[in-house]
Amino acid sequence: MQSLIAAWILPDQLLEPSNHPVLQESLRESGGDQKAVRVLLIESRRHFTALPYHKKRLTLYISAMRHYAGELRSAGWQVDYLREETFADGLQRHCQANRWQRCVAMEALEHPTAQLQKQMAEKAKEFEFNLIVNSQFYWQQTEYVRAVSKNVIMENFYRAMRRQFQLLMDKDGEPEGGQWNFDSENRKPLPKKLQLPKELQFEPDEVTKEVMSDVENDYSGHAGNTKGFNLPVTRKEALTAFDDFLQHRMVDFGPYEDAMSHSKGRLWHSVMSPVMNLGLIDALTMCRRAEAEYRAGRAPIQSVEGFIRQIIGWREYIHWQYGRQMPDLRNANGWNHTRATPRFWWDGQTDMNCLKQIVGRLIDSGYNHHIERLMVLCNFAMLAGIDPEAVANWFLTMYVDSHDWVVLPNVIGMGLNADGGKTATKPYIASGSYINKMSDFCSHCKYQVKKRSGEDACPFNYLYWYFLVENEKKMRSNPRMGPNVLGLKHVSAEERVAITQQAREFLDSLNYYTDPAYEPDDSAI
Ligand code: SF4
């Protein structure tokens, strides 16, 4: 009789069953006998409490896993869905009860879980552990990226990906439309009259309702709540959400991708990252379908190129940086920032309207779009000198699409420039005038965005100028940051003193939070 093989699939490896590397390898090992394979999905409590994750994030993860068990069963697989304290507990107990001797798993995307798997592969006595290479990212198939030994900037990485996968390339091998990116056409401010397509809602089914109840009971001290959960949780729903984006939002996505609104969070963004990061929809398929919209004349090049750049450029680059920089990245602190996160990052109680709206929406939904994250939240964290690891842990906690591999390079590297400039060559800092240009937040704010210092001056302004004053020498030595400090020559010595004093008083006046520590599931067998 063929001995049983355990196929362990992690919560963010919910790939299409017919293409799943773990299932393919298990089938190969069993000589094609599907009945000799038991698929294990393990809800590890420790994994879900590594930080006080937002309850909508937990609902998304757990509901997607439970639905995936159903998808696998419909495809003929035997599935055991386990709820355990740790991954190791689940594997050990299942192994003892079912007497299997081989386990197939795919390398985790997240470093702590990948380390755990390596330990298991080396030390597990009761079974052999076949750990196969992760194939969830496309850069691994790109000769240029695989061959490169030094750091590359995102633009070069992106061009290599476009060439490799022949995305938006013309027949002469040149970029479609004669240029590689249309960034300059993708920075339109918020239109005066906001007309947005209807939001597609995915009403929770019985499985999701049960998960919502479990999350409220089992993870009661976590951030946010489950109320109003409406994200897609299955492959079918993910595809429906993407179809809806292509049909109703893609056209305006590009020009307004950096715009922000006082009243609406999503604007024309796809919000596909939560399902994409769980493996429910494939990145390259999405890019090809977006390109098809352009080829069919239904979407302009600047929107399609902007979308493809986010996925095959930024997302893949971020994952590549994570692999290059871990484990040091978690503690990188190139600007020596040490403050804790302010309490209003956790409760939204602040008079700064941009932050109040953005954090308020985040607490409610677990989502902000990329410019709100980069140019308001990371910008504030950088100017206020918040410890990069505390910022990263906050992002990991609060966002429905957060994963270690994306948050660490994106926040510590790109947003806070704390990795010595490996991910981005300059910090993304801006005064209130940038926020005012790209949004309507300031017209609803008690602070004066035009004032640099003094009573009611916008805190982003004096914090920005204070940062330049404090870091003038460092900024001047970087050719990309130099232009930021040029404006300092228009600031008198008296005003420098006033700005410095006001910024320090502001920072001293904030209530700070006791930031939670990151404690991943690392219990080995
Ligand atoms: Fe934000 Fe300053 Fe504008 Fe207020 S005035 S919304 S604090 S940028």
Side-chain angles (χ1 to χ4, degrees):
M1 191 184 119
Q2 172 76 50
S3 66
L4 208 57
I5 292 167
W8 177 31
I9 294 179
L10 285 167
D12 59 353
Q13 297 178 347
L14 311 184
L15 307 172
E16 220 269 302
S18 62
N19 282 324
H20 203 302
V22 172
L23 301 178
Q24 285 173 341
E25 175 63 15
S26 303
L27 264 190
R28 194 189 64 73
E29 288 195 11
S30 71
D33 182 3
Q34 204 180 20
K35 297 246 171 314
V37 178
R38 290 279 276 273
V39 184
L40 303 187
L41 293 166
I42 307 173
E43 252 179 53
S44 153
R45 184 177 164 79
R46 194 83 69 79
H47 186 65
F48 290 139
T49 52
L51 284 165
Y53 294 119
H54 197 295
K55 288 178 187 162
K56 285 198 171 76
R57 181 186 189 272
L58 293 175
T59 303
L60 169 73
Y61 261 69
I62 298 172
S63 179
M65 272 176 85
R66 292 187 191 174
H67 279 95
Y68 188 62
E71 184 183 356
L72 289 171
R73 288 186 186 114
S74 303
W77 295 96
Q78 301 180 84
V79 182
D80 288 323
Y81 192 96
L82 314 175
R83 295 173 74 179
E84 297 280 352
E85 185 59 26
T86 66
F87 288 132
D89 286 352
L91 286 175
Q92 213 149 22
R93 235 193 289 273
H94 195 268
C95 175
Q96 280 157 5
N98 297 280
R99 297 168 180 275
W100 44 262
Q101 286 157 5
R102 283 188 65 73
C103 178
V104 178
M106 182 162 68
E107 284 171 348
L109 289 173
E110 305 195 322
H111 189 262
T113 315
Q115 292 302 107
L116 169 67
Q117 289 176 321
K118 274 190 195 139
Q119 278 184 30
M120 287 179 178
E122 283 162 17
K123 294 190 185 148
K125 291 197 175 63
E126 293 164 65
F127 55 85
E128 266 183 68
F129 198 61
N130 179 3
L131 192 56
I132 57 177
V133 173
N134 191 297
S135 60
Q136 286 174 271
F137 281 83
Y138 282 94
W139 65 261
Q140 290 147 322
Q141 299 172 28
T142 311
E143 276 311 310
Y144 164 81
V145 180
R146 281 168 53 166
V148 77
S149 56
K150 59 180 177 33
N151 201 42
V152 288
I153 59 167
M154 190 169 82
E155 185 62 26
N156 293 345
F157 180 101
Y158 168 57
R159 291 178 188 189
M161 294 292 282
R162 287 261 303 271
R163 282 197 193 95
Q164 172 81 25
F165 296 101
Q166 287 297 297
L167 282 162
L168 285 182
M169 302 299 290
D170 68 18
K171 56 182 175 2
D172 300 321
E174 295 299 320
E176 188 67 32
Q179 57 197 73
W180 286 101
N181 89 50
F182 293 80
D183 236 7
S184 57
E185 293 171 45
N186 287 357
R187 292 185 188 130
K188 278 198 179 171
L190 193 70
K192 289 263 173 304
K193 201 162 165 231
L194 202 53
Q195 278 184 315
L196 291 167
K198 202 165 162 265
E199 295 243 357
L200 196 58
Q201 309 281 332
F202 293 92
E203 289 302 323
D205 63 6
E206 289 311 311
V207 174
T208 302
K209 281 184 193 160
E210 194 179 342
V211 173
M212 289 161 77
S213 160
D214 288 349
V215 167
E216 290 292 356
N217 291 329
D218 299 347
Y219 302 95
S220 56
H222 282 231
N225 61 58
T226 61
K227 206 167 146 237
F229 179 87
N230 61 6
L231 290 167
V233 290
T234 64
R235 196 169 318 286
K236 197 166 162 230
E237 288 180 346
L239 284 169
T240 304
F242 188 52
D243 287 345
D244 184 70
F245 167 71
L246 291 179
Q247 218 180 330
H248 301 297
R249 288 173 199 263
M250 170 61 108
V251 169
D252 287 319
F253 165 73
Y256 298 113
E257 68 173 299
D258 288 1
M260 298 174 280
S261 156
H262 165 82
S263 56
K264 301 281 180 201
R266 177 182 176 175
L267 300 178
W268 291 272
H269 288 261
S270 71
V271 196
M272 293 306 294
S273 51
V275 280
M276 206 180 356
N277 292 352
L278 294 182
L280 288 174
I281 191 160
D282 173 65
L284 187 57
T285 307
M286 288 168 71
C287 291
R288 298 229 184 276
R289 288 201 54 204
E291 179 175 4
E293 292 299 298
Y294 164 71
R295 302 271 178 212
R298 290 191 291 265
I301 186 133
Q302 69 267 39
S303 284
V304 173
E305 188 280 319
F307 181 77
I308 287 175
R309 180 155 27 97
Q310 291 283 343
I311 311 254
I312 214 79
W314 173 83
R315 184 174 183 269
E316 294 273 335
Y317 182 72
I318 285 292
H319 178 256
W320 178 70
Q321 281 288 355
Y322 181 73
R324 282 176 64 80
Q325 293 198 52
M326 284 303 280
D328 299 343
L329 184 59
R330 182 173 292 283
N331 303 113
N333 194 352
W335 294 77
N336 297 318
H337 287 164
T338 54
R339 281 198 179 81
T341 57
R343 183 160 282 279
F344 71 77
W345 272 34
W346 299 86
D347 62 19
Q349 298 303 308
T350 171
D351 289 333
M352 299 171 76
N353 188 46
C354 49
L355 285 161
K356 185 186 172 87
Q357 299 307 324
I358 289 169
V359 175
R361 289 201 283 256
L362 178 61
I363 293 168
D364 188 45
S365 69
Y367 180 81
N368 295 136
H369 73 63
H370 71 277
I371 288 296
E372 294 175 330
R373 301 188 204 199
L374 183 70
M375 293 310 296
V376 181
L377 291 161
C378 281
N379 182 17
F380 181 84
M382 188 75 191
L383 299 180
I386 304 173
D387 172 18
E389 192 181 3
V391 181
N393 283 344
W394 179 83
F395 270 83
L396 278 166
T397 299
M398 299 301 286
Y399 286 90
V400 288
D401 54 5
S402 77
H403 295 253
D404 211 54
W405 65 262
V406 60
V407 168
L408 266 50
N410 191 41
V411 170
I412 296 178
M414 191 165 279
L416 305 178
N417 191 243
D419 64 349
K422 293 190 184 88
T423 312
T425 48
K426 70 179 183 82
Y428 285 87
I429 52 168
S431 67
S433 63
Y434 172 84
I435 296 170
N436 190 33
K437 186 177 138 211
M438 299 309 296
S439 76
D440 58 352
F441 288 129
C442 303
S443 53
H444 300 81
C445 186
K446 82 165 218 183
Y447 294 110
Q448 304 294 316
V449 72
K450 302 263 186 246
K451 281 179 79 173
R452 193 152 58 189
S453 59
E455 203 188 335
D456 285 345
C458 164
F460 269 101
N461 289 345
Y462 51 77
L463 289 175
Y464 173 77
W465 290 102
Y466 173 57
F467 186 88
L468 295 185
V469 168
E470 288 284 290
N471 297 288
E472 188 174 355
K473 205 164 151 210
K474 186 166 176 174
M475 300 285 283
R476 278 196 197 285
S477 66
N478 180 327
R480 288 205 70 207
M481 293 192 278
N484 290 82
V485 279
L486 289 182
L488 269 180
K489 65 175 183 277
H490 303 298
V491 184
S492 67
E494 295 77 44
E495 197 179 359
R496 282 181 181 228
V497 172
I499 283 169
T500 299
Q501 191 181 340
Q502 191 165 9
R504 286 182 182 162
E505 279 172 13
F506 172 83
L507 293 171
D508 288 346
S509 74
L510 292 179
N511 283 322
Y512 292 97
Y513 199 73
T514 309
D515 288 302
Y518 177 59
E519 290 171 359
D521 175 358
D522 57 1
S523 325
I525 283 177

